[in-house]
Amino acid sequence: MSCGLPHVELDAAIASVRKVLKLAIENEQFPERELDRLWDTYQSLKAIKKKIDHKDVSFTPDEKFSDIISFTSDI
């Protein structure tokens, strides 16, 4: 991964905040302002994930360089 962030841990953080957010919504005594902060945190983490998500990135070796560099399926 080129961005240097551990995607597995970012996914875990998003899942944890989502779980806490659900619990906070169900708890009528949870302060509204803190609920807003949880929501903002959840949205921020999701935005970061979306920005660094590399699923649409692909690599196709250029045949012109086959005499200089070799490519395997392990890329």
Side-chain angles (χ1 to χ4, degrees):
M1 144 185 31
S2 62
C3 65
L5 288 176
H7 287 234
V8 172
E9 293 190 23
L10 182 57
D11 291 340
I14 292 169
S16 293
V17 173
R18 181 177 46 238
K19 184 176 181 178
V20 170
L21 183 59
K22 281 182 169 183
L23 292 171
I25 290 170
E26 292 171 359
N27 181 352
E28 293 179 13
Q29 295 178 342
F30 195 83
E32 185 87 19
R33 182 177 180 136
E34 300 306 317
L35 186 60
D36 289 341
R37 288 183 182 167
L38 280 174
W39 176 251
D40 290 342
T41 301
Y42 177 69
Q43 291 297 324
S44 295
L45 288 172
K46 284 181 55 175
I48 291 168
K49 178 177 172 51
K50 185 176 180 179
K51 190 171 188 174
I52 65 169
D53 201 358
H54 306 292
K55 290 181 182 177
D56 59 344
V57 175
S58 64
F59 177 76
T60 306
D62 192 334
E63 295 289 325
K64 293 184 275 185
F65 300 108
S66 62
D67 60 332
I68 299 171
I69 198 167
S70 62
F71 298 97
T72 67
S73 60
D74 296 333
I75 295 177

Coordinates of all heavy atoms in Angstrom, one line a residue:
M1 N 0.9 -1.2 0.0 CA 0.0 0.0 0.0 C 0.9 1.2 0.0 O 1.8 1.4 0.8 CB -0.9 -0.1 1.2 CG -1.2 1.1 1.9 SD -2.2 0.8 3.4 CE -1.7 -0.7 4.0
S2 N 0.6 2.1 -0.9 CA 1.5 3.2 -1.1 C 1.3 4.4 -0.1 O 2.1 5.2 0.1 CB 1.4 3.8 -2.5 OG 0.1 4.2 -2.7
C3 N 0.1 4.4 0.5 CA -0.2 5.5 1.4 C 0.5 5.4 2.8 O 0.6 6.3 3.6 CB -1.7 5.7 1.6 SG -2.5 4.3 2.4
G4 N 0.9 4.1 3.1 CA 1.5 3.9 4.4 C 0.6 3.6 5.6 O 1.1 3.4 6.7
L5 N -0.7 3.7 5.4 CA -1.6 3.5 6.5 C -2.1 2.0 6.5 O -2.3 1.5 5.4 CB -2.8 4.4 6.4 CG -2.7 5.9 6.6 CD1 -4.0 6.6 6.4 CD2 -2.2 6.1 8.1
P6 N -2.2 1.5 7.7 CA -2.7 0.1 7.8 C -4.2 0.0 7.6 O -5.0 0.4 8.5 CB -2.3 -0.3 9.2 CG -2.2 1.0 9.9 CD -1.8 2.0 9.0
H7 N -4.6 -0.4 6.4 CA -6.1 -0.4 6.1 C -6.9 -1.2 7.0 O -8.0 -0.9 7.3 CB -6.3 -0.8 4.6 CG -5.9 0.2 3.6 ND1 -6.7 0.7 2.6 CD2 -4.7 0.9 3.5 CE1 -6.1 1.6 1.9 NE2 -4.9 1.7 2.4
V8 N -6.3 -2.3 7.4 CA -7.1 -3.2 8.4 C -7.4 -2.5 9.6 O -8.5 -2.6 10.2 CB -6.3 -4.5 8.6 CG1 -6.9 -5.4 9.7 CG2 -6.1 -5.3 7.3
E9 N -6.4 -1.8 10.2 CA -6.7 -1.0 11.4 C -7.6 0.1 11.2 O -8.4 0.5 12.1 CB -5.3 -0.6 12.0 CG -4.5 -1.8 12.5 CD -3.3 -1.5 13.3 OE1 -3.3 -0.4 13.9 OE2 -2.4 -2.3 13.3
L10 N -7.5 0.8 10.1 CA -8.5 1.9 9.8 C -9.9 1.3 9.7 O -10.8 1.9 10.2 CB -8.1 2.6 8.4 CG -9.0 3.7 8.0 CD1 -9.0 4.8 9.1 CD2 -8.5 4.3 6.7
D11 N -10.1 0.2 9.0 CA -11.4 -0.5 9.0 C -11.9 -0.8 10.4 O -13.1 -0.7 10.7 CB -11.3 -1.8 8.1 CG -11.1 -1.5 6.6 OD1 -11.4 -0.3 6.2 OD2 -10.7 -2.4 5.9
A12 N -11.0 -1.3 11.2 CA -11.4 -1.6 12.6 C -11.8 -0.4 13.4 O -12.7 -0.4 14.2 CB -10.2 -2.3 13.3
A13 N -11.1 0.7 13.2 CA -11.4 2.0 13.8 C -12.8 2.4 13.4 O -13.6 2.9 14.2 CB -10.4 3.0 13.5
I14 N -13.1 2.3 12.1 CA -14.4 2.7 11.6 C -15.5 1.8 12.2 O -16.5 2.3 12.6 CB -14.4 2.7 10.0 CG1 -13.5 3.7 9.5 CG2 -15.9 2.8 9.5 CD1 -13.3 3.6 8.0
A15 N -15.3 0.5 12.2 CA -16.2 -0.4 12.8 C -16.5 -0.1 14.3 O -17.6 -0.1 14.8 CB -15.8 -1.8 12.6
S16 N -15.4 0.2 15.0 CA -15.5 0.5 16.5 C -16.3 1.8 16.7 O -17.2 1.8 17.6 CB -14.2 0.7 17.1 OG -13.5 -0.5 17.1
V17 N -16.1 2.8 15.9 CA -16.8 4.1 16.1 C -18.3 3.9 15.7 O -19.2 4.4 16.4 CB -16.2 5.2 15.3 CG1 -17.0 6.5 15.3 CG2 -14.8 5.6 15.8
R18 N -18.5 3.1 14.7 CA -19.9 2.8 14.2 C -20.6 2.1 15.4 O -21.8 2.4 15.7 CB -19.9 2.0 13.0 CG -21.3 1.7 12.5 CD -21.4 0.9 11.2 NE -20.5 -0.2 11.1 CZ -19.5 -0.4 10.2 NH1 -19.3 0.5 9.3 NH2 -18.7 -1.4 10.2
K19 N -20.0 1.1 16.0 CA -20.6 0.4 17.1 C -20.9 1.3 18.3 O -22.0 1.3 18.8 CB -19.7 -0.7 17.6 CG -20.3 -1.6 18.7 CD -19.3 -2.7 19.0 CE -19.9 -3.6 20.0 NZ -19.1 -4.8 20.4
V20 N -20.0 2.2 18.7 CA -20.2 3.2 19.7 C -21.3 4.1 19.4 O -22.2 4.5 20.2 CB -18.9 3.9 20.1 CG1 -19.1 5.1 21.0 CG2 -17.9 2.9 20.7
L21 N -21.3 4.6 18.1 CA -22.4 5.5 17.6 C -23.8 4.9 17.8 O -24.7 5.5 18.2 CB -22.1 5.9 16.2 CG -23.0 6.9 15.5 CD1 -23.0 8.2 16.3 CD2 -22.6 7.1 14.1
K22 N -23.9 3.6 17.4 CA -25.2 2.9 17.5 C -25.6 2.8 19.0 O -26.8 3.1 19.3 CB -25.1 1.5 17.0 CG -25.1 1.4 15.5 CD -25.1 -0.1 15.0 CE -25.4 -0.2 13.6 NZ -25.4 -1.7 13.2
L23 N -24.7 2.5 19.8 CA -25.0 2.4 21.3 C -25.4 3.8 21.8 O -26.3 3.9 22.6 CB -23.8 1.9 22.1 CG -23.5 0.4 21.8 CD1 -22.1 0.0 22.5 CD2 -24.6 -0.5 22.3
A24 N -24.7 4.8 21.4 CA -25.0 6.2 21.8 C -26.4 6.6 21.3 O -27.1 7.3 22.1 CB -24.0 7.2 21.3
I25 N -26.7 6.3 20.1 CA -28.1 6.6 19.6 C -29.2 5.9 20.4 O -30.2 6.5 20.7 CB -28.2 6.2 18.1 CG1 -27.3 7.2 17.3 CG2 -29.6 6.3 17.6 CD1 -27.1 6.8 15.8
E26 N -28.9 4.7 20.8 CA -29.9 3.9 21.5 C -30.1 4.4 23.0 O -31.1 4.2 23.6 CB -29.6 2.4 21.5 CG -29.7 1.8 20.1 CD -29.2 0.4 20.0 OE1 -28.6 -0.1 21.0 OE2 -29.2 -0.1 18.9
N27 N -29.0 5.1 23.5 CA -29.0 5.5 24.9 C -29.6 7.0 24.9 O -28.9 7.9 24.5 CB -27.6 5.5 25.4 CG -27.5 6.0 26.8 OD1 -28.5 6.5 27.4 ND2 -26.4 5.9 27.4
E28 N -30.8 7.1 25.3 CA -31.5 8.4 25.4 C -30.8 9.4 26.3 O -31.0 10.6 26.1 CB -32.9 8.3 25.7 CG -33.7 7.5 24.7 CD -35.2 7.4 25.1 OE1 -35.6 8.0 26.0 OE2 -35.9 6.6 24.4
Q29 N -30.0 9.0 27.2 CA -29.3 9.9 28.1 C -28.0 10.4 27.6 O -27.3 11.2 28.2 CB -29.1 9.2 29.5 CG -30.4 8.9 30.2 CD -30.2 8.1 31.5 OE1 -29.2 7.6 31.7 NE2 -31.2 8.1 32.3
F30 N -27.5 9.8 26.5 CA -26.3 10.2 25.9 C -26.4 11.7 25.4 O -27.3 12.0 24.7 CB -25.8 9.3 24.8 CG -24.4 9.4 24.4 CD1 -23.4 8.8 25.1 CD2 -24.0 10.2 23.3 CE1 -22.1 8.9 24.7 CE2 -22.7 10.3 22.9 CZ -21.7 9.7 23.7
P31 N -25.4 12.5 25.8 CA -25.5 14.0 25.4 C -25.5 14.2 23.8 O -24.7 13.6 23.1 CB -24.3 14.6 26.0 CG -23.8 13.7 27.0 CD -24.3 12.3 26.6
E32 N -26.5 15.0 23.4 CA -26.6 15.2 21.9 C -25.3 15.8 21.3 O -24.9 15.4 20.2 CB -27.7 16.3 21.7 CG -28.1 16.5 20.3 CD -29.1 15.5 19.7 OE1 -29.8 14.9 20.5 OE2 -29.2 15.4 18.5
R33 N -24.6 16.7 22.0 CA -23.4 17.3 21.5 C -22.3 16.2 21.3 O -21.6 16.2 20.3 CB -22.9 18.3 22.5 CG -21.7 19.0 21.9 CD -21.2 20.1 22.9 NE -20.0 20.7 22.4 CZ -19.8 22.0 22.3 NH1 -20.7 22.8 22.8 NH2 -18.7 22.5 21.8
E34 N -22.3 15.3 22.2 CA -21.3 14.2 22.1 C -21.7 13.2 20.9 O -20.8 12.7 20.3 CB -21.1 13.4 23.4 CG -20.6 14.3 24.5 CD -19.4 15.0 24.2 OE1 -18.4 14.5 23.6 OE2 -19.3 16.2 24.6
L35 N -23.0 13.1 20.7 CA -23.4 12.3 19.6 C -23.0 12.9 18.3 O -22.5 12.2 17.4 CB -25.0 12.1 19.7 CG -25.6 11.2 18.7 CD1 -25.1 9.8 18.8 CD2 -27.1 11.3 18.8
D36 N -23.1 14.2 18.2 CA -22.6 14.9 17.0 C -21.1 14.7 16.8 O -20.7 14.5 15.7 CB -22.9 16.4 17.2 CG -24.4 16.8 17.0 OD1 -25.1 15.9 16.5 OD2 -24.8 17.9 17.5
R37 N -20.4 14.7 17.9 CA -18.9 14.5 17.7 C -18.6 13.1 17.3 O -17.7 12.9 16.5 CB -18.2 14.8 19.1 CG -18.2 16.2 19.4 CD -17.4 16.5 20.7 NE -17.5 17.9 21.0 CZ -17.1 18.4 22.2 NH1 -16.7 17.6 23.1 NH2 -17.1 19.7 22.4
L38 N -19.3 12.1 17.8 CA -19.2 10.7 17.3 C -19.5 10.6 15.8 O -18.8 10.0 15.1 CB -20.0 9.8 18.1 CG -19.5 9.3 19.5 CD1 -20.6 8.5 20.2 CD2 -18.2 8.5 19.3
W39 N -20.6 11.2 15.4 CA -21.0 11.2 14.0 C -19.9 11.9 13.1 O -19.5 11.3 12.1 CB -22.3 11.9 13.8 CG -22.7 12.0 12.4 CD1 -22.8 13.1 11.6 CD2 -23.2 10.9 11.6 NE1 -23.2 12.8 10.4 CE2 -23.4 11.5 10.3 CE3 -23.3 9.6 11.8 CZ2 -23.9 10.7 9.2 CZ3 -23.7 8.8 10.7 CH2 -24.0 9.3 9.4
D40 N -19.4 13.0 13.6 CA -18.3 13.7 12.8 C -17.1 12.8 12.7 O -16.4 12.7 11.7 CB -17.9 15.0 13.5 CG -19.0 16.1 13.4 OD1 -20.0 15.9 12.5 OD2 -19.0 17.0 14.1
T41 N -16.7 12.1 13.8 CA -15.6 11.3 13.8 C -15.8 10.1 12.8 O -14.9 9.8 12.0 CB -15.3 10.7 15.2 OG1 -15.1 11.8 16.1 CG2 -14.1 9.8 15.2
Y42 N -16.9 9.5 12.9 CA -17.3 8.4 11.9 C -17.2 8.9 10.5 O -16.6 8.2 9.7 CB -18.7 7.9 12.3 CG -19.2 6.8 11.4 CD1 -18.6 5.5 11.4 CD2 -20.2 7.0 10.5 CE1 -19.0 4.5 10.6 CE2 -20.7 6.0 9.7 CZ -20.1 4.8 9.7 OH -20.5 3.8 8.9
Q43 N -17.8 10.0 10.2 CA -17.7 10.5 8.8 C -16.3 10.9 8.4 O -15.9 10.7 7.2 CB -18.6 11.8 8.7 CG -20.1 11.5 8.8 CD -20.6 10.6 7.7 OE1 -20.2 10.7 6.6 NE2 -21.5 9.7 8.0
S44 N -15.5 11.4 9.3 CA -14.1 11.7 9.0 C -13.3 10.5 8.6 O -12.5 10.5 7.7 CB -13.5 12.5 10.1 OG -14.1 13.7 10.3
L45 N -13.5 9.5 9.5 CA -12.7 8.2 9.2 C -13.2 7.6 7.9 O -12.3 7.1 7.1 CB -13.0 7.2 10.3 CG -12.2 7.6 11.7 CD1 -12.7 6.6 12.8 CD2 -10.7 7.5 11.5
K46 N -14.5 7.6 7.6 CA -14.9 7.1 6.3 C -14.4 7.9 5.1 O -14.0 7.3 4.1 CB -16.4 7.1 6.3 CG -17.0 5.9 7.1 CD -18.5 5.9 7.0 CE -19.0 5.8 5.6 NZ -20.5 5.6 5.5
A47 N -14.3 9.2 5.3 CA -13.8 10.1 4.2 C -12.3 9.8 4.0 O -11.8 9.7 2.8 CB -13.9 11.5 4.6
I48 N -11.5 9.5 5.0 CA -10.1 9.2 4.9 C -10.0 7.8 4.1 O -9.2 7.7 3.2 CB -9.4 9.1 6.3 CG1 -9.3 10.5 6.9 CG2 -8.1 8.4 6.1 CD1 -8.9 10.5 8.3
K49 N -10.8 6.9 4.5 CA -10.8 5.6 3.9 C -11.1 5.7 2.4 O -10.4 5.1 1.5 CB -11.7 4.6 4.5 CG -11.7 3.2 3.8 CD -12.6 2.3 4.5 CE -12.8 1.0 3.8 NZ -11.7 0.3 3.4
K50 N -12.1 6.5 2.1 CA -12.5 6.7 0.7 C -11.4 7.3 -0.1 O -11.1 7.0 -1.2 CB -13.8 7.5 0.6 CG -14.3 7.6 -0.8 CD -15.6 8.4 -0.8 CE -16.1 8.5 -2.2 NZ -17.4 9.2 -2.3
K51 N -10.7 8.3 0.5 CA -9.7 9.0 -0.2 C -8.4 8.1 -0.5 O -7.8 8.3 -1.5 CB -9.3 10.2 0.7 CG -8.4 11.2 0.0 CD -8.2 12.5 0.7 CE -7.4 13.5 -0.1 NZ -7.3 14.8 0.6
I52 N -8.1 7.2 0.4 CA -6.9 6.4 0.3 C -7.2 5.0 -0.3 O -6.3 4.2 -0.4 CB -6.1 6.3 1.6 CG1 -6.9 5.5 2.6 CG2 -5.7 7.7 2.0 CD1 -6.1 5.2 3.8
D53 N -8.5 4.7 -0.5 CA -8.9 3.4 -1.0 C -8.2 3.2 -2.4 O -8.4 4.0 -3.3 CB -10.4 3.3 -1.1 CG -10.8 1.8 -1.1 OD1 -9.9 0.9 -1.1 OD2 -12.0 1.6 -1.1
H54 N -7.5 2.1 -2.5 CA -6.8 1.8 -3.8 C -7.4 0.7 -4.6 O -6.7 0.2 -5.5 CB -5.3 1.4 -3.4 CG -4.6 2.4 -2.5 ND1 -4.3 3.7 -3.0 CD2 -4.3 2.3 -1.3 CE1 -3.7 4.3 -2.0 NE2 -3.7 3.5 -0.9
K55 N -8.6 0.4 -4.4 CA -9.3 -0.7 -5.2 C -9.3 -0.4 -6.7 O -9.3 -1.4 -7.5 CB -10.7 -1.0 -4.6 CG -10.7 -1.5 -3.3 CD -12.1 -1.8 -2.8 CE -12.0 -2.3 -1.4 NZ -13.3 -2.5 -0.8
D56 N -9.4 0.8 -7.1 CA -9.5 1.1 -8.5 C -8.2 1.3 -9.2 O -8.1 1.6 -10.4 CB -10.4 2.4 -8.7 CG -9.8 3.6 -8.0 OD1 -9.0 3.4 -7.2 OD2 -10.2 4.7 -8.4
V57 N -7.1 1.1 -8.5 CA -5.8 1.2 -9.0 C -5.3 -0.1 -9.6 O -5.5 -1.1 -9.0 CB -4.7 1.7 -8.0 CG1 -3.3 1.7 -8.5 CG2 -5.1 3.0 -7.4
S58 N -4.9 0.0 -10.9 CA -4.3 -1.2 -11.5 C -3.0 -0.9 -12.2 O -2.7 0.2 -12.4 CB -5.4 -1.8 -12.5 OG -5.5 -0.9 -13.5
F59 N -2.3 -2.0 -12.4 CA -1.0 -1.8 -13.1 C -0.9 -2.7 -14.3 O -1.1 -3.9 -14.1 CB 0.1 -2.2 -12.0 CG 1.5 -2.1 -12.6 CD1 2.1 -0.9 -12.9 CD2 2.2 -3.3 -13.0 CE1 3.4 -0.8 -13.4 CE2 3.4 -3.2 -13.5 CZ 4.0 -2.0 -13.8
T60 N -0.5 -2.2 -15.4 CA -0.3 -3.0 -16.6 C 1.1 -2.7 -17.1 O 1.5 -1.6 -17.4 CB -1.3 -2.6 -17.7 OG1 -2.6 -2.7 -17.2 CG2 -1.1 -3.4 -18.9
P61 N 2.0 -3.7 -17.1 CA 3.4 -3.5 -17.5 C 3.4 -3.1 -19.0 O 2.6 -3.6 -19.8 CB 4.0 -4.9 -17.3 CG 3.0 -5.7 -16.5 CD 1.7 -5.1 -16.6
D62 N 4.3 -2.2 -19.3 CA 4.5 -1.8 -20.7 C 5.5 -2.7 -21.3 O 6.6 -2.9 -20.9 CB 5.0 -0.4 -20.6 CG 5.0 0.3 -22.0 OD1 5.1 -0.4 -23.0 OD2 4.9 1.5 -22.1
E63 N 5.1 -3.3 -22.5 CA 5.9 -4.2 -23.2 C 7.2 -3.6 -23.7 O 8.2 -4.3 -23.9 CB 5.1 -4.8 -24.4 CG 3.9 -5.6 -24.0 CD 4.3 -6.9 -23.5 OE1 5.3 -7.5 -23.9 OE2 3.6 -7.4 -22.6
K64 N 7.3 -2.3 -23.8 CA 8.5 -1.7 -24.3 C 9.7 -1.9 -23.4 O 10.8 -1.8 -23.8 CB 8.3 -0.2 -24.5 CG 7.3 0.2 -25.6 CD 7.2 1.7 -25.8 CE 6.2 2.2 -24.8 NZ 5.9 3.7 -24.9
F65 N 9.4 -2.1 -22.1 CA 10.5 -2.3 -21.1 C 10.8 -3.7 -20.8 O 11.5 -4.0 -19.8 CB 10.1 -1.5 -19.8 CG 9.9 0.0 -20.1 CD1 8.6 0.5 -20.0 CD2 10.9 0.8 -20.4 CE1 8.4 1.9 -20.3 CE2 10.8 2.2 -20.6 CZ 9.5 2.7 -20.5
S66 N 10.3 -4.7 -21.5 CA 10.5 -6.1 -21.2 C 11.9 -6.5 -21.2 O 12.3 -7.5 -20.6 CB 9.6 -6.9 -22.1 OG 10.0 -6.8 -23.4
D67 N 12.8 -5.8 -22.0 CA 14.2 -6.2 -22.1 C 15.0 -5.6 -20.9 O 16.1 -6.1 -20.6 CB 14.8 -5.7 -23.4 CG 14.7 -4.2 -23.6 OD1 13.8 -3.6 -23.0 OD2 15.6 -3.6 -24.3
I68 N 14.4 -4.7 -20.2 CA 15.1 -4.0 -19.0 C 14.6 -4.6 -17.7 O 15.3 -4.8 -16.8 CB 14.8 -2.5 -19.1 CG1 15.4 -1.9 -20.4 CG2 15.4 -1.8 -17.8 CD1 15.0 -0.4 -20.6
I69 N 13.3 -4.9 -17.6 CA 12.7 -5.3 -16.4 C 11.7 -6.4 -16.7 O 11.1 -6.5 -17.7 CB 12.0 -4.1 -15.7 CG1 11.7 -4.3 -14.3 CG2 10.7 -3.7 -16.4 CD1 11.3 -3.0 -13.5
S70 N 11.6 -7.3 -15.7 CA 10.6 -8.4 -15.9 C 9.5 -8.3 -14.9 O 9.8 -7.9 -13.7 CB 11.4 -9.8 -15.8 OG 11.9 -9.9 -14.5
F71 N 8.4 -8.7 -15.3 CA 7.2 -8.6 -14.4 C 6.7 -10.0 -14.1 O 6.7 -10.9 -15.0 CB 6.1 -7.8 -15.0 CG 6.5 -6.3 -15.2 CD1 7.0 -5.9 -16.4 CD2 6.5 -5.4 -14.2 CE1 7.3 -4.6 -16.6 CE2 6.9 -4.1 -14.4 CZ 7.3 -3.7 -15.6
T72 N 6.3 -10.3 -12.9 CA 5.7 -11.6 -12.6 C 4.2 -11.3 -12.1 O 3.8 -10.2 -11.9 CB 6.5 -12.3 -11.5 OG1 6.3 -11.5 -10.3 CG2 7.9 -12.5 -11.8
S73 N 3.5 -12.4 -11.9 CA 2.1 -12.3 -11.4 C 2.1 -12.0 -9.9 O 1.0 -11.8 -9.4 CB 1.4 -13.6 -11.7 OG 2.0 -14.6 -11.0
D74 N 3.2 -11.9 -9.3 CA 3.3 -11.6 -7.8 C 3.2 -10.1 -7.5 O 3.4 -9.7 -6.4 CB 4.6 -12.1 -7.2 CG 4.7 -13.6 -7.3 OD1 3.7 -14.3 -7.3 OD2 5.9 -14.2 -7.4
I75 N 3.0 -9.3 -8.5 CA 2.9 -7.8 -8.3 C 1.7 -7.5 -7.5 O 0.7 -7.9 -7.6 CB 2.9 -7.1 -9.7 CG1 4.2 -7.3 -10.4 CG2 2.7 -5.6 -9.4 CD1 4.2 -6.7 -11.8

